[in-house]
Amino acid sequence: MPRLGVNIDHVATLRQARGGNLPDPVYAAFLAEQAGAQSIVAHLREDRRHIQDQDIKLLRKKIGTKLNLEMSIAPEILKIACSIRPYQATLVPERRNELTTEGGLNVAANLKIIAAAIKKLKESDIRVSLFIDPDKNQVDAAQGAGAKIIEFHTGRYALAKNSRQKEKFFNQLKHAVDYAQAQGLVVNAGHGLDYANVRRIAQIKGIEELNIGYSIICKALYVGLFAAVKEMRELVR
Ligand code: PXP
């Protein structure tokens, strides 16, 4: 049974809409943990569109589970991560004009710079995961860069336009999980997972953790965050 990591970025998106203190991502993290979240995920973007530096500092101090900081390998962000020292850093690609993280890291094409970032983070005792597409070449590259943990981007499966595509992307993911596991990597997954599509992914043997944000925060508007996280945890289970 995979663990559930809850991404709280969009609590901060709502707060930033008015520039005040509400809703508070730290309180949201507390509620998510009470409802069964096994880690809290937050992405400190270079443009600070949602999570702010202070949120990461407070989350690091206040949460009872584990902080998984999503981040790019920009020197400024690396410096912040090394000073705050979250439990884990998940390295993701970042483009200023994207609405969300649209694909995995191209580790194969950026091996040296990613390996250097992993080394730096590990020197600060931070575990490092690489967010990659479910692709054998990227798995090999992730290992070559020194990663022990990877997170597969499930967006292609989640956004598939028809059942034929969905089947194709599901099988790609399943094979990639088998391959990465056989290489001795810890395998996580996430992106675009929701209450309708998560069950099938949660059943793939070898996935240790699912990281889910948007669908949970959307549901929370109707039923409250505690109920939204609890329902997702039950589905994952
Ligand atoms: N995992 C990673 C590495 C991500 O970048 C994101 C999105 O921030 C998620 C999981 C969660 O995706 P979603 O918000 O679509 O559930």
Side-chain angles (χ1 to χ4, degrees):
M1 170 175 54
R3 296 184 302 272
L4 173 65
V6 174
N7 179 310
I8 52 160
D9 290 350
H10 296 302
V11 176
T13 302
L14 197 54
R15 178 194 59 195
Q16 296 309 106
R18 286 289 172 102
N21 296 322
L22 295 174
D24 176 9
V26 179
Y27 186 57
F30 168 75
L31 283 176
E33 289 181 322
Q34 296 295 304
Q38 288 147 302
S39 60
I40 298 298
V41 187
H43 186 171
L44 185 67
R45 279 187 168 266
E46 290 163 42
D47 64 9
R48 307 299 197 276
R49 67 174 72 163
H50 37 53
I51 293 290
Q52 306 295 306
D53 302 42
Q54 184 65 7
D55 295 324
I56 299 296
K57 285 186 194 149
L58 286 173
L59 287 166
R60 171 72 173 85
K61 277 203 194 123
K62 306 269 183 193
I63 66 173
T65 59
K66 294 162 178 173
L67 177 61
N68 179 358
L69 175 65
E70 281 180 23
M71 53 180 277
S72 74
I73 54 169
E76 180 223 356
I77 302 288
L78 271 173
K79 202 167 155 203
I80 293 169
C82 291
S83 97
I84 296 178
R85 298 168 67 159
Y87 174 79
Q88 181 176 310
T90 298
L91 302 185
V92 302
E94 206 174 297
R95 289 194 302 114
R96 293 277 162 129
N97 53 1
E98 66 187 356
L99 290 178
T100 181
T101 314
E102 286 166 355
L105 273 174
N106 190 347
V107 191
N110 299 284
L111 198 67
K112 267 196 178 160
I113 187 169
I114 291 174
I118 294 176
K119 187 165 175 280
K120 201 162 186 265
L121 290 162
K122 282 188 175 169
E123 281 165 5
S124 295
D125 275 338
I126 304 166
R127 306 161 128 240
V128 186
S129 170
L130 299 185
F131 191 43
I132 58 175
D133 287 322
D135 176 305
K136 240 174 122 179
N137 290 338
Q138 295 298 342
V139 173
D140 291 340
Q143 232 184 355
K148 302 269 183 275
I149 312 169
I150 55 169
E151 178 176 339
F152 282 129
H153 194 300
T154 47
R156 286 194 288 210
Y157 161 81
L159 295 174
K161 291 197 171 51
N162 52 51
S163 51
R164 197 175 56 81
Q165 264 195 12
K166 209 158 199 92
E167 221 35 49
K168 177 178 148 197
F169 293 135
F170 178 80
N171 286 324
Q172 264 178 14
L173 181 65
K174 203 166 170 302
H175 289 138
V177 171
D178 287 344
Y179 180 74
Q181 241 207 332
Q183 308 303 307
L185 291 165
V186 172
V187 184
N188 302 326
H191 208 279
L193 297 178
D194 61 26
Y195 295 83
N197 66 21
V198 74
R199 205 191 294 258
R200 206 163 170 217
I201 299 296
Q203 283 171 349
I204 298 177
K205 276 211 179 71
I207 296 183
E208 298 198 15
E209 182 178 274
L210 294 176
N211 293 310
I212 308 178
Y214 189 69
S215 63
I216 293 177
I217 304 304
C218 289
K219 184 143 194 144
L221 288 177
Y222 305 128
V223 303
L225 187 58
F226 185 92
V229 172
K230 192 160 180 280
E231 186 179 338
M232 186 57 87
R233 177 79 200 277
E234 275 156 18
L235 279 173
V236 167
R237 202 181 270 160

